[in-house]
Amino acid sequence: MKKIEVIQNILEANETIASRNQQLLDKHKVFAVNIMSSPGAGKTSLILQTLARLKGKLNVAVIEGDVASTVDAEKVQREAKAVVQINTRNMPESCSLIAAMIESALKNMPLNNIDLILIENVGNLICPSEFALGEHKRIVVSSLPEGDDKPIKYPLIFIDAHAVIINKMDLLPYVDFDIAAFRRSITGLNPKAEIFEVSCRTGEGIERWCSSILEQVEAKVVRRQKSDS
Amino acid sequence: MHELGITENIVNIALAKAGEAQASKVAQINLVIGEMSGFVPDCIQFYFDSLSKDTIAEGAVLHFESVPTQLRCRDCDTIFRPQDAVWPCPKCGGQSVEIFKGRELYIESLEVE
């Protein structure tokens, strides 16, 4: 019997593909956002609102990840520059998008004509936190009916997020959700996370979120143009 | 839930390393898995038994070393084990913490013949 030292990250294969995806996106000056949440928190609604507000300002494409169906892809089809639906049901990971799925999706997208890709991950607060996709920003959507304890119950996904969006703010009078406690939990885990309070139903707060995305996409493109010259 | 892809990676890494060492059999795979990583050992074992069939890793024992979660207080640097779901620092009461240990997910070593 012989012992071989290995010390190799089991997720390395995914991370290698993720960084290859990011290089491809960077080459085409495309900014990618990975949108994660539990089922029903409002990922698709946020995407629809974002598409409507950014229309005429950015060319936005969408990658829809779902275990099954094309319901979400159909909803966003009209406003998006390109839509790719990924169904994870028969794939090695059915509960999350992984970098290899994004790699194939990118092959079917006109990257030269796209500024921003919104990636809607599978609704799940556990698995997507483990898999990098090659995105530039990771955001978590949390909605009031889910309760204010989600960051405490599912810390990993919040720890790695660049921004947290609190959706369904219009329901505040009807649910017991302590906004201050939720914000304290997020800031404790992840002091750098930006927090947005929105309602995709009424449009409240969407303007601020879209300005922030627009600013980040433009900053990235300008910065790259400068470094190219 | 998402152990299948992970287990495929474990089998691939083990077979590659055993191949490099010109081993004829993988007897044991020593894995280090953090408590927070969200992977379930029983589930990895279940997939492993099926994925390793007809390879030199068939029948290998998976040994899991679990790394307990430890947090570090950003205010006073104290390292502590979280109690239940609330995470304030036991020394200064600070609520700003980072994960110090518990997210590990790697193959530490192989035992081969």
Side-chain angles (χ1 to χ4, degrees):
Chain A
M1 189 82 73
K2 193 169 83 172
K3 192 167 180 169
I4 310 173
E5 293 294 323
V6 180
I7 316 282
Q8 186 167 344
N9 178 359
I10 297 166
L11 288 172
E12 197 174 270
N14 184 69
E15 277 152 28
T16 306
I17 302 172
S19 64
R20 212 155 64 208
N21 289 346
Q22 196 171 80
Q23 281 166 15
L24 179 70
L25 292 166
D26 286 346
K27 194 177 127 197
H28 293 278
K29 300 176 181 169
V30 180
F31 191 79
V33 181
N34 179 2
I35 304 173
M36 299 170 288
S37 81
S38 50
K43 294 182 294 301
T44 313
S45 305
L46 181 74
I47 289 173
L48 286 169
Q49 282 280 2
T50 309
L51 286 169
R53 302 276 170 141
L54 294 179
K55 203 173 183 180
K57 295 175 184 158
L58 293 176
N59 290 323
V60 187
V62 179
I63 297 177
E64 284 290 345
D66 281 294
V67 173
S69 88
T70 54
V71 174
D72 286 350
E74 284 158 22
K75 281 187 202 158
V76 303
Q77 195 96 43
R78 198 193 307 207
E79 302 288 346
K81 189 85 184 164
V83 182
V84 175
Q85 172 79 53
I86 300 173
N87 282 143
T88 58
R89 184 172 42 198
N90 296 317
M91 299 201 185
E93 306 301 336
S94 59
C95 49
S96 171
L97 293 175
I98 60 172
M101 298 174 190
I102 300 302
E103 187 176 47
S104 338
L106 293 178
K107 285 185 187 140
N108 297 319
M109 295 194 130
L111 294 180
N112 283 330
N113 297 320
I114 293 171
D115 305 306
L116 169 67
I117 300 182
L118 300 173
I119 304 170
E120 179 173 348
N121 217 316
V122 179
N124 181 334
L125 288 177
I126 305 171
C127 312
S129 67
E130 306 277 359
F131 299 99
L133 305 177
E135 72 277 40
H136 300 92
K137 292 278 166 189
R138 298 166 68 79
I139 71 155
V140 178
V141 183
S142 222
S143 66
L144 298 199
E146 293 168 60
D148 51 37
D149 55 2
K150 289 297 158 292
I152 298 167
K153 288 187 172 171
Y154 304 95
L156 280 191
I157 203 156
F158 290 95
I159 284 172
D160 291 334
H162 295 94
V164 175
I165 295 187
I166 312 175
N167 187 26
K168 308 189 189 178
M169 283 300 288
D170 53 312
L171 296 181
L172 192 55
Y174 313 106
V175 292
D176 293 325
F177 188 100
D178 184 340
I179 296 276
F182 183 85
R183 282 179 162 269
R184 261 199 314 278
S185 306
I186 299 289
T187 312
L189 292 169
N190 181 351
K192 288 186 185 149
E194 261 194 288
I195 301 175
F196 296 87
E197 294 177 11
V198 312
S199 164
C200 291
R201 187 161 165 268
T202 66
E204 172 194 346
I206 297 290
E207 192 67 49
R208 190 181 147 237
W209 152 250
C210 286
S211 313
S212 158
I213 280 290
L214 188 61
E215 212 171 276
Q216 291 176 62
V217 175
E218 284 173 346
K220 193 170 167 68
V221 172
V222 169
R223 204 165 54 236
R224 221 173 302 113
Q225 280 167 347
K226 278 182 185 158
S227 64
D228 287 347
S229 59
Chain B
M1 216 164 154
H2 50 306
E3 278 79 359
L4 176 57
I6 293 305
T7 313
E8 277 176 351
N9 291 345
I10 293 172
V11 173
N12 290 341
I13 295 169
L15 292 178
K17 293 287 170 183
E20 280 169 28
Q22 297 183 333
S24 59
K25 185 172 170 44
V26 178
Q28 183 162 326
I29 303 176
N30 297 312
L31 301 152
V32 178
I33 297 196
E35 206 174 63
M36 290 205 77
S37 78
F39 294 98
V40 181
D42 281 353
C43 205
I44 295 178
Q45 182 76 60
F46 174 79
Y47 287 125
F48 181 84
D49 292 343
S50 129
L51 289 168
S52 63
K53 243 186 198 106
D54 301 324
T55 73
I56 60 166
E58 183 173 350
V61 173
L62 297 188
H63 178 263
F64 296 93
E65 184 193 331
S66 168
V67 181
T69 305
Q70 287 187 21
L71 305 175
R72 193 184 71 83
C73 172
R74 290 197 182 94
D75 297 325
C76 74
D77 272 343
T78 299
I79 289 165
F80 62 99
R81 290 266 294 133
Q83 300 298 320
D84 302 326
V86 277
W87 289 11
C89 169
K91 196 170 166 204
C92 74
Q95 304 236 339
S96 184
V97 296
E98 64 188 13
I99 296 177
F100 180 67
K101 278 191 178 158
R103 293 193 72 169
E104 295 77 1
L105 182 67
Y106 63 91
I107 298 185
E108 191 256 340
S109 61
L110 300 179
E111 281 159 46
V112 298
E113 284 166 16

